[in-house]
């Protein structure tokens, strides 16, 4: 049985969250909204509880979980702050969609959370429901996205229900999430002889809600390196989760990229027509500006090219929509990789299993 609590997203009352908080304290698994996507939470110190996250999601055990806190004062018991640079990032972006990977304090968190690494990813989410729930639970909350492994991340409580009902103890329904893509995961590596004050390298392990340009503005002396953009295929990813097929609808998806928009649209249509002639049920993922130009069994508009934040917000629901429409063949139109576009394209490449046509 999975309990569902509907709560006010903006100013949830403490008593609305009391049952969910108690469930977390008692070792249960509870999904809750954050500003990025819904997370599936459990007390990060209780191994049985954390194990239930992995089994509910069908998540490989070598993929570590992000630990969520409600207050910066909780950092010290869990991790070591290596110096001023990371503190400046937290000043700039917490609470918010930034996860920092830090050396872990041994012996507090369940070893399942860190998947055997000597680091832990910490995040303070910018959502009143998440913050109140974590504070009321009184423990660090391990929470991966609340989807079955491999499925698009959930941006509405209904998505969590679709994937996980009967497998988890509760869902706090605080309405749709804001950003729509997961947090940016970063790790700061001080330069030799640097005491962590900012001349080191900031690795982006997973692009997300905070853009590379925002990180550069916050740490102007550091080198900001986007590992996900230059990943050699045979190189082990630094964020273990980045190596798995992710965010994928059930139909086979191909991403079409490059050239002038007319060329891309012409190629998308050719692929759709050929697939239709083979008897496939076809889907197209595109933007408001181009929706009228494509013919398919299911045309999904994820947002507007003029405002990529709307695309981030709508992407995962659009991907799930292909499954509802029973589509077997999907083409997706690429977007510019500027700002949040880098994170959108990272997710599109993964959803397409790296099937990319360049025109
Ligand atoms: O926005 C988000 O980050 C959401 C919400 C719920 O907070 N959470 C989320 O968690 O996306 P998850 O588990 O789906 O993705 C966590 C990512 C994975 O790619 C994982 O490999 C990486 O963070 N990660 C976690 N701990 C790490 C560590 N110690 N070192 C490197 N990567 C780590
Ligand atoms: Mg995930």
């Amino acid at each position: 049985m999975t309990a569902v609590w509907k709560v006010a997203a903006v100013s949830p009352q403490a008593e609305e969250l009391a049952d969910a908080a108690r469930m977390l304290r008692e070792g249960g698994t509870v999904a809750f909204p954050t500003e990025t996507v819904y997370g599936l939470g459990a007390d990060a110190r209780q191994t049985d509880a954390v194990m239930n996250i992995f089994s509910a999601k069908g998540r490989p055990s070598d993929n570590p979980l992000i630990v969520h806190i409600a207050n910066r004062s909780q950092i010290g018991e869990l991790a070591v702050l290596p110096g001023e640079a990371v503190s400046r990032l937290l000043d700039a972006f917490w609470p918010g969609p930034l996860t920092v990977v830090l050396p872990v304090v041994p012996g507090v968190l369940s070893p399942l959370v860190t998947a055997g690494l000597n680091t832990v990813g910490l995040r303070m989410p910018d959502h009143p429901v998440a913050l109140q729930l974590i504070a009321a639970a009184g423990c660090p909350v391990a929470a991966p996205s609340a989807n079955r492994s491999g499925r698009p991340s959930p941006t509405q409580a209904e998505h969590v229900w679709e994937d996980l009902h009967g497998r988890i103890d509760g869902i706090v329904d605080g309405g749709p999430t804001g950003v729509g893509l997961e947090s940016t995961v970063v790790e700061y590596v001080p330069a030799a002889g640097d005491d962590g004050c900012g001349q080191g390298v900031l690795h982006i392990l997973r692009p997300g809600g905070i853009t590379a340009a925002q990180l550069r503005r916050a740490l102007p002396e550091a080198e900001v390196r986007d590992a996900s953009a230059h990943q050699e295929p045979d190189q082990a990813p630094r964020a273990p989760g980045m190596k798995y097929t992710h965010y994928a609808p059930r139909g086979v998806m191909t991403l079409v990229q490059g050239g002038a928009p007319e060329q891309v649209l012409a190629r998308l249509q050719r692929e759709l027509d050929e697939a239709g002639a083979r008897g496939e049920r076809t889907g197209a993922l595109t933007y408001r500006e181009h929706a009228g130009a494509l013919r398919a069994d299911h045309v999904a508009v994820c947002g507007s090219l003029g405002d990529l934040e709307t695309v981030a917000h709508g992407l995962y629901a659009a991907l799930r929509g292909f499954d509802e429409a029973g589509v077997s063949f999907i083409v997706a139109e690429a977007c510019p990789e500027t700002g949040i576009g880098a994170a959108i394209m990272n997710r599109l490449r993964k959803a397409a299993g790296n099937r990319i046509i360049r025109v």
Side-chain angles (χ1 to χ4, degrees):
M1 256 283 289
T2 301
V4 178
W5 303 277
K6 268 199 187 303
V7 303
V10 182
S11 50
Q13 300 301 304
E15 52 274 25
E16 293 181 282
L17 295 170
D19 286 342
R22 183 167 33 77
M23 230 175 229
L24 284 174
R25 266 196 309 279
E26 291 174 354
T29 47
V30 176
F32 61 92
T34 79
E35 81 282 29
T36 59
V37 300
Y38 273 75
L40 176 59
D43 181 346
R45 303 164 307 184
Q46 299 187 43
T47 289
D48 286 351
V50 175
M51 202 172 335
N52 287 336
I53 290 183
F54 282 92
S55 55
K57 282 183 58 84
R59 181 175 177 110
S61 60
D62 64 350
N63 192 5
L65 306 181
I66 294 173
V67 175
H68 296 66
I69 57 179
N71 198 300
R72 266 171 83 159
S73 64
Q74 288 175 272
I75 296 176
E77 65 176 292
L78 306 172
V80 181
L81 268 182
E84 220 205 298
V86 173
S87 301
R88 265 156 54 203
L89 289 178
L90 304 187
D91 292 342
F93 302 116
W94 273 20
L98 182 76
T99 297
V100 291
V101 171
L102 299 171
V104 69
V105 170
V108 181
L109 297 169
S110 162
L112 293 184
V113 168
T114 51
L117 301 175
N118 54 10
T119 54
V120 60
L122 291 186
R123 167 161 130 77
M124 180 165 140
D126 186 15
H127 193 295
V129 172
L131 289 172
Q132 279 218 32
L133 178 65
I134 298 163
C139 58
V141 175
S145 50
N147 50 295
R148 288 279 291 169
S149 244
R151 293 266 289 153
S153 293
T155 54
Q156 302 167 21
E158 291 74 16
H159 300 161
V160 181
W161 179 262
E162 267 168 34
D163 278 17
L164 297 177
H165 74 89
R167 297 173 170 272
I168 62 177
D169 295 311
I171 301 174
V172 179
D173 178 354
T177 63
V179 179
L181 295 182
E182 299 86 346
S183 63
T184 303
V185 181
V186 298
E187 184 172 13
Y188 180 75
V189 179
D194 159 17
D195 54 359
C197 58
Q199 294 101 326
V201 180
L202 185 70
H203 295 272
I204 300 178
L205 308 186
R206 177 180 70 179
I210 301 291
T211 65
Q214 285 176 290
L215 293 168
R216 286 197 182 96
R217 275 197 296 277
L219 277 192
E221 304 90 31
E223 183 196 340
V224 176
R225 232 182 259 172
D226 187 351
S228 67
H230 311 286
Q231 191 80 59
E232 298 298 324
D234 55 352
Q235 189 184 330
R238 297 176 65 119
M242 298 301 283
K243 72 172 177 273
Y244 297 105
T245 308
H246 251 94
Y247 322 112
R250 297 195 181 95
V252 173
M253 184 168 132
T254 303
L255 182 61
V256 180
Q257 182 175 22
E262 310 78 62
Q263 279 176 297
V264 172
L265 288 169
R267 183 58 187 260
L268 289 165
Q269 194 59 55
R270 198 175 99 203
E271 296 290 327
L272 289 166
D273 290 344
E274 287 174 6
R278 292 195 300 272
E280 304 258 22
R281 197 169 159 74
T282 59
L285 182 70
T286 184
Y287 309 96
R288 193 163 305 135
E289 292 84 346
H290 296 159
L294 290 170
R295 291 174 315 281
D297 293 317
H298 179 74
V299 175
V301 174
C302 51
S304 162
L305 281 173
D307 180 359
L308 290 181
E309 279 169 23
T310 62
V311 175
H313 180 76
L315 180 64
Y316 287 142
L319 290 175
R320 280 176 181 261
F322 289 119
D323 292 344
E324 274 154 45
V327 161
S328 60
F329 177 92
I330 305 160
V331 284
E333 179 184 351
C335 74
E337 300 211 32
T338 48
I340 192 88
I344 296 166
M345 281 296 290
N346 170 271
R347 305 307 192 269
L348 282 176
R349 280 191 287 266
K350 285 182 182 298
N354 279 318
R355 276 175 299 275
I356 300 173
I357 297 175
R358 292 194 170 78
V359 296

